Amino acid sequence: MKISIGAHPSNLTLTALTHYQPLQQPLRDAGLSPEFYWYPEGRMMHALAVAGKVNVIGTGTTRAITAQADGVILAYIGASKPRLSWSSIVVPARSDIVAAGDLDGKRIGFIEGSFQTYFLLAALDRVGLNYTSIHGINLKPGESLAALRAGRIDAWVAMDPYLSDALEGGDIRKIQDCGDLIANRSVFWVLSEVVAAGPKVIQTLFNTLVATDAWIGGHLGQAGELFSSVIANGLSAASWTQGLKSRDWGILPPDRQFFTEQQAEADLLFKHGLLKQPVDISQSMLPFQLDGLATHTRGYSNGRT
């Protein structure tokens, strides 16, 4: 069947799969004919899915929930391990902002609609603030650091490798780590026609995602060079490699804990008016069980290049 994979710079697993051809071979060996589409932003995935341009998608948790709220029929086929140190809310070192409660009325740069929306919202909600309490400014990661240093924004929801790179200068400090509030996973979802193709197709897709993540985790230097080249965001291969070291690589089948996390996020997004309607995450479960044994990537090391 036709497998149309939509990739973008914020999903490194699908970036690697799209741009490093040897990783695609398991799909071809299984008789699939994958087509790869490269787009500049993850926020485009929702509309592309609705238009039928892509049917295998990797995003942050928030985009998948928003798509479901907008009526997209989807099923989760995998999720990354939690990334507890991958993102933080940061401010200039000289700022008088010291905690999330100080963000009231402030200008905050982040990628709207991404997991950063949920991270920021969770931080605000915990201290009794609302999404409307701040002035959100939609900025790409490469633009946000310059805006923060120039005083055009007061805080930035940063993620690696941009986060690690920014902190090295000494003029930026953290006020909130993502891992204290949310799991921050990448999620992989497919449209109904892919589910209808059956368990073998889904298992092949899942196993390919697992193998791709294992390749990244076991070849950090090579992956850093690949991302520096194809994403071309100004970060060197060395900066990419350093940022990749902070991530716990591995793809897991969606389990009860994952669906609990997704439901909690959907409920919070709806509470703050960021969804058109409530979402029942259980409607996005596969109708069959995935074999999760392929998730074991023993033998790969985060320090290996």
Side-chain angles (χ1 to χ4, degrees):
M1 71 164 295
K2 181 179 178 181
I3 297 294
S4 302
I5 298 174
H8 55 91
S10 292
N11 188 285
L12 299 183
T13 305
L14 292 185
T15 295
L17 182 60
T18 297
H19 293 282
Y20 187 53
Q21 199 166 30
L23 296 171
Q24 304 169 10
Q25 196 58 45
L27 298 175
R28 304 187 196 282
D29 289 345
L32 300 178
S33 300
E35 296 178 352
F36 295 88
Y37 298 93
W38 179 243
Y39 298 99
E41 293 187 68
R43 65 189 301 164
M44 301 172 69
M45 292 298 108
H46 181 167
L48 290 165
V50 171
K53 300 289 187 181
V54 296
N55 56 21
V56 178
I57 300 159
T59 62
T61 55
T62 305
R63 294 206 190 281
I65 291 171
T66 302
Q68 189 178 349
D70 287 349
V72 176
I73 300 174
L74 60 90
Y76 293 103
I77 66 168
S80 71
K81 294 178 181 179
R83 298 187 299 237
L84 303 182
S85 61
W86 186 252
S87 181
S88 301
I89 300 174
V90 300
V91 298
R94 65 184 183 278
S95 173
D96 58 359
I97 300 172
V98 297
D102 300 323
L103 295 174
D104 191 9
K106 302 299 184 182
R107 301 163 300 171
I108 305 175
F110 62 102
I111 305 173
E112 290 182 348
S114 73
F115 83 91
Q116 295 181 356
T117 300
Y118 178 42
F119 172 23
L120 177 59
L121 189 59
L124 296 173
D125 185 77
R126 189 169 70 164
V127 296
L129 296 177
N130 299 311
Y131 194 66
T132 55
S133 301
I134 56 97
H135 299 290
I137 300 176
N138 184 42
L139 290 173
K140 295 179 181 178
E143 302 169 341
S144 296
L145 179 57
L148 187 66
R149 285 176 169 156
R152 295 193 297 273
I153 56 176
D154 304 300
W156 169 33
V157 184
M159 64 181 181
D160 269 325
Y162 311 92
L163 173 61
S164 296
D165 205 51
L167 292 174
E168 285 185 357
D171 60 336
I172 304 294
R173 60 178 170 82
K174 300 179 183 181
I175 65 164
Q176 177 67 65
D177 282 327
C178 180
D180 296 335
L181 297 173
I182 67 171
N184 185 23
R185 303 177 191 264
S186 285
V187 298
F188 301 89
W189 42 287
V190 298
L191 301 189
S192 56
E193 68 263 25
V194 182
V195 177
K200 288 185 178 180
V201 169
I202 298 296
Q203 189 69 54
T204 297
L205 287 168
F206 173 74
N207 291 350
T208 301
L209 294 172
V210 170
T212 299
D213 237 46
W215 177 83
I216 297 171
H219 302 82
L220 296 177
Q222 189 175 350
E225 291 177 1
L226 176 67
F227 297 144
S228 178
S229 173
V230 301
I231 294 177
N233 56 5
L235 292 179
S236 67
S239 292
W240 267 106
T241 300
Q242 184 61 36
L244 296 176
K245 289 179 180 179
S246 69
R247 182 163 165 178
D248 190 9
W249 295 95
I251 304 296
L252 306 171
D255 58 10
R256 182 177 300 177
Q257 175 61 36
F258 167 76
F259 285 106
T260 298
E261 292 169 4
Q262 288 295 91
Q263 190 63 62
E265 177 174 354
D267 292 345
L268 187 65
L269 293 171
F270 181 71
K271 171 186 172 182
H272 286 269
L274 298 186
L275 295 181
K276 293 180 179 179
Q277 60 183 333
V279 168
D280 179 1
I281 294 295
S282 69
Q283 298 299 310
S284 59
M285 293 181 179
L286 286 168
F288 44 78
Q289 189 74 28
L290 275 174
D291 176 10
L293 294 177
T295 61
H296 295 299
T297 56
R298 198 169 297 165
Y300 289 94
S301 165
N302 277 356
R304 180 179 164 192
T305 58

